[in-house]
Amino acid sequence: MIIDHPLLGPRDAAEFVVKGDASLIGRPDGMTASPEDMHDYMYLRDNTAGEHRELWYHEQGDRSWLVVTRNTLTHEVTKVELARDVARAQGRSR
Amino acid sequence: MRYSALQILKEGLTGNKGWIPAWREPEPKAEYDIVIVGGGGHGLATAYYLAKEFGVTNVAVVEKGWLGSGNIGRNTTIIRSNYLLEGNQPFYEFSLKLWEGLEQDFNYNAMVSQRGILNLIHSDPQRDAFVRRGNAMRLSGADAEILGPDEIRKMCPYLDYDNARFPIQGAIWQPRGGTVRHDAVAWGYARGADCRGVDILQNCEVIGFVMEKGSCHGVETAKGTIRAKKVAVCVAGSSSRVMEKAGMRLPIESHVLQAFVSEGLKPTIPGVITFGAGHFYVSQSDKGGLVFGGDIDGYNTYAQRGNLPVVEDVCEGGMAIMPMIGRARLLRMWGGVMDMSMDGSPFIDKTHIDGLYLNAGWCYGGFKATPASGFCYAHLLATDRPHETATAYRLDRFRRGAPIDEKGHGAQPNLH
Ligand SMILES: Cc1cc2nc3c(=O)[nH]c(=O)nc-3n(C[C@H](O)[C@H](O)[C@H](O)COP(=O)(O)OP(=O)(O)OC[C@H]3O[C@@H](n4cnc5c(N)ncnc54)[C@H](O)[C@@H]3O)c2cc1C
């Protein structure tokens, strides 16, 4: 698989570490979230068959976190964004 | 028909005309006591033990493809009981004991071959960890010995003992571990279940559940509705996709594991060997091919194929411990999709929906579990109580802060 890095261009997937579902960006506030919310955030996944948004870390590159949209049935990568941009668009400050 | 040497002789002398198919191909009935979704190793074993041990025979196994098309026919066939934690080890030892009597029990040659498994040690801390593991194994009634390099040299003279980075300092040796002919396990359980009255329905995908007043009363399939008092899901790498139809999200991600087979070689590897400083395991099949594998690819996938970086990584692992395999040519490779759970351990449990049961999360180690998984699931389905060796495999264990995390990696499925 080739990941089209927004800053560096096409990179081999082997340079990355996969963290998993991009919903992990939206961690509930630990001070206010209920144990149930925290449990669901930590342990439950949609595990979609088809288009899947996921966090990839460019460990052997520029160490940026990316949100990769990839089809889990075909391995086709359709979109790559900086996780920073995605998080900010969701209202996160950092 | 009972298989025996006498039967083979008789058939041989009479033109092999008397053999009958090992199982029927029945039409689905309108209703069963129990419908098992998924005709892999675990589903078929569940049906077999339900019929044989618990006397429940009004059972159907509903399979999307053909028998053995899933992971039961794709794995590297290693069996062992060398776990550390209390929630796991007694279960896997129970499984190994069932393997030991399996062929007599279901009257089928599954080629259970206890040639031993050797987990190599490459550092002092690793020896400490393996000694601890060996003690845990022995406490559960399993066998384990710590060997030094001289003893291993006698067994496997061709390993790279004095490798500068990964010298072989010893190994933990489980003589009762080994390999089993994977397809024959599916066929043996299928035949044993079928002859006790279980209907095996192939090419019959489950596409939904029959839900009435919040409880489950059957399945919708490609061949129509089949009602059941209990529905037992057992679909390995497809658990999330199937349970989604019941509105459930699971603590599981689907990942691909690849397996590799070399051309046939003369007998050289006595049992199973695993590399302790990377991820590589190898055994030799009866046809002579080296059967080996390593890490999962590491990204979510439902495609039954992997990518090249893992091929390279696995082959590097092999070269690091036995450089001789560099001369062998690779004959075949393939991938299988597995449930990777949040702690690397499985689930055998009732769901919160009445009538709906789940057996899932076997990661890359569910083949060795096949007999015990089937037995314990059958126990749960028949008695509504977990089997004594499977009490920890509950769906709510993360909520209770009771994960069974052998590797200590936390909720990161691709690291287990
Ligand atoms: C490459 C590889 C190597 C492995 N090596 C080992 C090993 O050495 N040792 C070990 O212990 N374990 C190993 N495993 C793990 C082991 O193979 C699995 O954990 C185990 O086989 C899973 O249980 P099963 O046999 O029931 O799965 P499967 O055979 O996959 O059965 C599940 C069945 O459910 C069916 N199904 C799915 N969806 C539906 C639906 N909607 N309706 C009806 N049916 C459906 C599928 O078609 C499939 O037949 C390996 C796995 C892989 C992929």
Side-chain angles (χ1 to χ4, degrees):
Chain A
M1 286 185 290
I2 301 290
I3 306 297
D4 200 2
H5 193 301
L7 305 176
L8 304 177
R11 307 300 310 182
D12 189 335
E15 295 174 4
F16 294 81
V17 171
V18 188
K19 174 72 185 165
D21 196 320
S23 67
L24 290 169
I25 290 178
R27 185 175 61 219
D29 179 349
M31 302 309 282
T32 57
S34 67
E36 203 56 22
D37 288 344
M38 217 59 193
H39 165 270
D40 293 359
Y41 166 80
M42 276 287 283
Y43 295 108
L44 301 186
R45 301 284 187 274
D46 286 339
N47 199 15
T48 320
E51 191 161 279
H52 191 237
R53 293 182 82 217
E54 52 204 14
L55 284 164
W56 288 57
Y57 176 58
H58 199 193
E59 189 179 43
Q60 290 172 54
D62 71 344
R63 302 197 180 173
S64 55
W65 282 93
L66 306 180
V67 172
V68 174
T69 307
R70 197 178 52 90
N71 190 312
T72 57
L73 294 165
T74 63
H75 295 168
E76 188 194 1
V77 177
T78 48
K79 194 169 174 190
V80 184
E81 302 153 273
L82 287 175
R84 187 177 65 199
D85 296 344
V86 174
R88 284 197 180 127
Q90 287 176 10
R92 286 267 302 267
S93 58
R94 47 195 173 88
Chain B
M1 175 190 285
R2 210 185 143 70
Y3 294 151
S4 65
L6 198 66
Q7 191 72 30
I8 294 173
L9 189 69
K10 190 179 138 215
E11 289 297 333
L13 293 175
T14 54
N16 282 311
K17 293 201 187 83
W19 299 114
I20 51 168
W23 56 82
R24 299 162 295 134
E25 297 210 12
E27 283 305 309
K29 289 195 259 174
E31 180 160 10
Y32 292 90
D33 288 342
I34 297 178
V35 163
I36 297 166
V37 184
H42 293 207
L44 294 165
T46 305
Y48 174 78
Y49 291 116
L50 268 174
K52 177 161 182 288
E53 301 293 331
F54 299 94
V56 186
T57 56
N58 186 18
V59 174
V61 178
V62 184
E63 163 57 43
K64 176 171 78 173
W66 69 92
L67 289 195
S69 57
N71 291 337
I72 187 68
R74 291 169 185 267
N75 63 73
T76 43
T77 78
I78 299 166
I79 62 165
R80 54 188 170 89
S81 65
N82 57 0
Y83 285 69
L84 174 71
L85 301 179
E86 210 140 295
N88 274 334
Q89 177 57 16
F91 172 86
Y92 287 102
E93 178 53 21
F94 176 50
S95 204
L96 196 52
K97 292 212 169 76
L98 288 173
W99 282 119
E100 287 173 329
L102 185 65
E103 293 165 300
Q104 297 306 319
D105 190 66
F106 68 14
N107 178 230
Y108 203 85
N109 180 9
M111 294 161 73
V112 178
S113 176
Q114 293 180 290
R115 288 173 288 176
I117 174 165
L118 201 57
N119 303 116
L120 299 175
I121 296 171
H122 306 272
S123 67
D124 290 343
Q126 192 167 32
R127 176 181 292 105
D128 292 349
F130 278 16
V131 167
R132 179 177 174 223
R133 177 182 298 261
N135 286 336
M137 289 164 66
R138 294 176 79 129
L139 282 172
S140 78
D143 54 326
E145 286 166 49
I146 298 291
L147 305 183
D150 294 343
E151 291 157 290
I152 307 170
R153 252 179 229 273
K154 280 187 210 134
M155 252 189 257
C156 313
Y158 42 77
L159 297 179
D160 189 3
Y161 289 87
D162 303 318
N163 184 300
R165 282 178 76 196
F166 313 117
I168 295 171
Q169 299 191 356
I172 184 166
W173 165 239
Q174 182 175 31
R176 286 164 63 243
T179 58
V180 182
R181 174 72 206 171
H182 51 5
D183 303 309
V185 174
W187 300 332
Y189 276 126
R191 174 171 165 272
D194 175 89
C195 73
R196 287 173 175 82
V198 172
D199 283 357
I200 297 169
L201 310 171
Q202 298 182 73
N203 300 310
C204 185
E205 181 171 2
V206 167
I207 49 182
F209 295 98
V210 180
M211 292 291 195
E212 285 159 15
K213 297 195 191 113
S215 42
C216 183
H217 294 275
V219 288
E220 307 288 356
T221 77
K223 295 183 178 170
T225 305
I226 305 174
R227 294 186 65 87
K229 297 194 179 78
K230 290 178 181 174
V231 174
V233 175
C234 197
V235 293
S238 305
S239 300
S240 298
R241 290 177 85 174
V242 171
M243 297 312 280
E244 188 193 4
K245 302 195 166 80
M248 283 179 70
R249 288 172 84 216
L250 301 180
I252 284 173
E253 289 178 0
S254 295
H255 286 262
V256 63
L257 178 66
Q258 305 190 55
F260 308 86
V261 178
S262 78
E263 60 192 327
L265 303 170
K266 287 184 179 172
T268 166
I269 296 179
V272 180
I273 304 174
T274 75
F275 180 29
H279 204 170
F280 176 81
Y281 44 86
V282 61
S283 65
Q284 189 167 18
S285 79
D286 296 288
K287 283 189 284 188
L290 303 183
V291 181
F292 58 95
D295 266 333
I296 60 174
D297 273 45
Y299 43 80
N300 284 46
T301 178
Y302 286 96
Q304 283 180 323
R305 61 189 156 77
N307 273 295
L308 291 172
V310 164
V311 179
E312 188 178 12
D313 184 66
V314 170
C315 293
E316 281 172 358
M319 290 299 288
I321 52 165
M322 44 176 81
M324 66 167 185
I325 69 163
R327 295 287 188 89
R329 275 167 298 192
L330 205 57
L331 197 61
R332 296 185 289 133
M333 52 193 267
W334 63 89
V337 176
M338 314 144 310
D339 292 349
M340 291 300 297
S341 67
M342 289 291 154
D343 56 359
S345 295
F347 306 96
I348 304 177
D349 204 358
K350 290 197 230 189
T351 69
H352 67 283
I353 299 166
D354 252 359
L356 185 59
Y357 295 73
L358 180 66
N359 176 317
W362 291 96
C363 304
Y364 46 79
F367 176 67
K368 71 175 89 66
T370 306
S373 168
F375 198 104
C376 294
Y377 204 21
H379 185 283
L380 176 72
L381 288 161
T383 65
D384 268 319
R385 278 179 293 111
H387 184 265
E388 58 178 0
T389 63
T391 52
Y393 297 152
R394 308 295 300 274
L395 271 164
D396 68 352
R397 63 174 180 259
F398 303 110
R399 219 170 248 120
R400 290 182 288 113
I404 316 166
D405 190 343
E406 290 274 338
K407 287 198 181 164
H409 280 312
Q412 187 62 42
N414 60 4
L415 294 182
H416 287 296

